[in-house]
Amino acid sequence: MTVREQYEITEVGILSKFACTSVNEEMIRRERHEDKCPFRTEFQRDRDRIIHCNTFRRLKRKTQVFLSPVGDHYRTRLTHTLEVSQIARTIARGMRLNEDLTEAIALGHDLGHSPFGHCGEKILNEICPHGFKHYEQSVRVVESLEKKGSGLNLTYAVRDGILCHTNKVAATKEGNIVRLADTIAYINHDIEDSVRAGILDPNDLPNDCVRVLGNTKTKRITTLIASVIEHGAYEIDFAPQIRRAHDDLKAFMFRKVYTNPAAKQEEAKAVQLISKLYEYFIANIDKLPEEYRIIAKKTDPDRAVCDYISGMSDSYAVDLYTELFVPKFWK
């Protein structure tokens, strides 16, 4: 008996009846057959593939809320992803659900995010005829773009969880945990970053929300995690009172931070940058890297250009724009 088989037996014995185990044939199916690993379950393999892929590493230079922030302590898309993973794993462990599946979905949920955060997502959605949603692009990354077009060949359960992490109900309880962990993470770490940036005073947080959830990041996250666990696995959600406080705090953040001119002052430049890059490469398909020229031939130029730009880090997009459109001086 292999190490993997022993672990699978343990999973079946200790996990909740609501858990998606690593022997669930429907959920572990891949688009291409692969022999099983003697040491790792299928979901553990998916987690490792995501961590080692190029797209995951580029998240370290992609915007979370503040565009290209100066300072080591502001969140990036990568640190956000790690915080989502930690929160999701804690919830899964507390509910005896599959922690490995939860972790894989969490680590892959934002792989398709564009440079410059939701600002970049919005402009790509407007100018690309195919539209652009980061959660759909995340699935496209793992299915079609990574490894020079061969994809990561992930299991169905992980791909479904990635696709559904924003506003859909996933096929597994683990996928629905990640949907809540994502919002728990970004609301609370965005509060911390906004205070650090000087655009939010902790005393401005709604009193009703603070009273219910707590007056520090740690207390709020703990309250929200505990509420999900206590609510039970039948329906992954917060308790009603906690849900109201969470939604009110989220609405407050949209009013005071996510639409705050101080946080969004550079977005017009980001819109112009992405628009100009898109326009340039549509007119110059031959300037795309080879793997994207192949996509343009197989599908169409818009699909290829959108794939290329959405995969860029903030700094790479700025450097490329500078190279293409900013005059160089003679030395």
Side-chain angles (χ1 to χ4, degrees):
M1 184 179 294
T2 66
V3 173
R4 170 186 53 78
E5 289 170 330
Q6 294 176 45
Y7 193 87
E8 289 171 345
I9 291 173
T10 301
E11 263 192 7
V12 172
I14 67 174
L15 293 184
S16 160
K17 65 179 181 179
F18 295 105
C20 177
T21 66
S22 301
V23 295
N24 185 323
E25 292 295 333
E26 180 182 0
M27 294 298 167
I28 65 173
R29 72 181 188 273
R30 302 181 187 274
E31 292 187 330
R32 301 185 301 276
H33 172 75
E34 297 181 14
D35 293 334
K36 293 185 181 295
C37 174
F39 306 108
R40 297 168 299 165
T41 68
E42 295 304 295
F43 300 138
Q44 289 170 348
R45 294 177 83 184
D46 283 1
R47 173 204 59 204
D48 295 350
R49 290 178 184 186
I50 291 168
I51 289 175
H52 288 282
C53 77
N54 289 332
T55 310
F56 183 79
R57 290 192 290 278
R58 287 200 297 271
L59 295 177
K60 68 182 178 181
R61 297 193 183 278
K62 288 197 175 189
T63 288
Q64 177 60 26
V65 171
F66 299 96
L67 300 189
S68 302
V70 176
D72 293 336
H73 299 145
Y74 288 99
R75 268 70 173 195
T76 65
R77 191 63 55 179
L78 178 60
T79 57
H80 161 72
T81 294
L82 296 176
E83 291 186 32
V84 173
S85 176
Q86 177 269 316
I87 291 169
R89 287 180 57 190
T90 300
I91 295 172
R93 190 182 308 118
M95 302 178 81
R96 290 193 299 119
L97 298 177
N98 194 318
E99 195 173 336
D100 294 324
L101 170 57
T102 306
E103 182 180 27
I105 296 170
L107 292 174
H109 84 282
D110 268 357
L111 288 177
H113 229 300
S114 58
F116 309 113
H118 290 286
C119 163
E121 179 176 26
K122 184 174 182 291
I123 187 59
L124 282 177
N125 188 50
E126 291 174 0
I127 62 180
C128 179
H130 301 288
F132 183 84
K133 298 289 187 295
H134 78 274
Y135 45 89
E136 294 174 352
Q137 189 70 13
S138 294
V139 176
R140 181 164 170 77
V141 166
V142 300
E143 288 184 344
S144 305
L145 299 182
E146 261 295 334
K147 299 184 73 173
K148 296 189 179 298
S150 63
L152 301 180
N153 198 29
L154 302 183
T155 59
Y156 168 77
V158 173
R159 288 181 284 124
D160 171 79
I162 291 172
L163 179 64
C164 297
H165 82 267
T166 297
N167 54 15
K168 299 178 182 179
V169 177
T172 63
K173 302 298 183 182
E174 290 81 358
N176 292 317
I177 283 176
V178 173
R179 178 161 45 83
L180 292 188
D182 187 26
T183 185
I184 292 172
Y186 78 70
I187 288 175
N188 285 285
H189 65 48
D190 290 350
I191 290 173
E192 189 170 64
D193 280 359
S194 300
V195 171
R196 177 176 288 110
I199 65 173
L200 183 67
D201 187 320
N203 296 320
D204 293 337
L205 296 177
N207 290 331
D208 289 345
C209 299
V210 170
R211 178 177 53 79
V212 173
L213 301 177
N215 60 356
T216 67
K217 179 191 68 174
T218 299
K219 290 178 181 178
R220 287 189 295 270
I221 291 177
T222 300
T223 299
L224 290 164
I225 288 174
S227 179
V228 178
I229 294 172
E230 292 166 4
H231 193 260
Y234 183 76
E235 181 184 15
I236 304 296
D237 203 350
F238 306 111
Q241 182 188 21
I242 303 298
R243 164 59 71 183
R244 285 192 296 273
H246 165 275
D247 291 351
D248 288 347
L249 185 58
K250 183 176 180 180
F252 167 83
M253 289 295 291
F254 270 93
R255 291 194 308 271
K256 298 295 184 180
V257 175
Y258 302 139
T259 58
N260 189 308
K264 301 302 177 184
Q265 59 186 345
E266 298 297 303
E267 283 196 354
K269 298 177 185 177
V271 168
Q272 179 185 18
L273 184 152
I274 289 178
S275 299
K276 289 287 290 182
L277 288 177
Y278 196 98
E279 178 184 330
Y280 174 82
F281 284 111
I282 285 293
N284 298 275
I285 292 298
D286 60 306
K287 301 296 185 183
L288 287 171
E290 181 182 5
E291 61 196 277
Y292 296 100
R293 295 200 301 272
I294 293 172
I295 293 172
K297 290 179 181 178
K298 287 184 176 179
T299 56
D300 61 73
D302 286 288
R303 180 72 274 170
V305 172
C306 189
D307 285 341
Y308 182 41
I309 293 176
S310 67
M312 295 177 183
S313 65
D314 295 19
S315 56
Y316 181 87
V318 170
D319 289 345
L320 184 57
Y321 179 90
T322 301
E323 179 183 339
L324 293 174
F325 301 112
V326 177
K328 298 180 179 66
F329 295 97
W330 287 96
K331 295 184 180 179

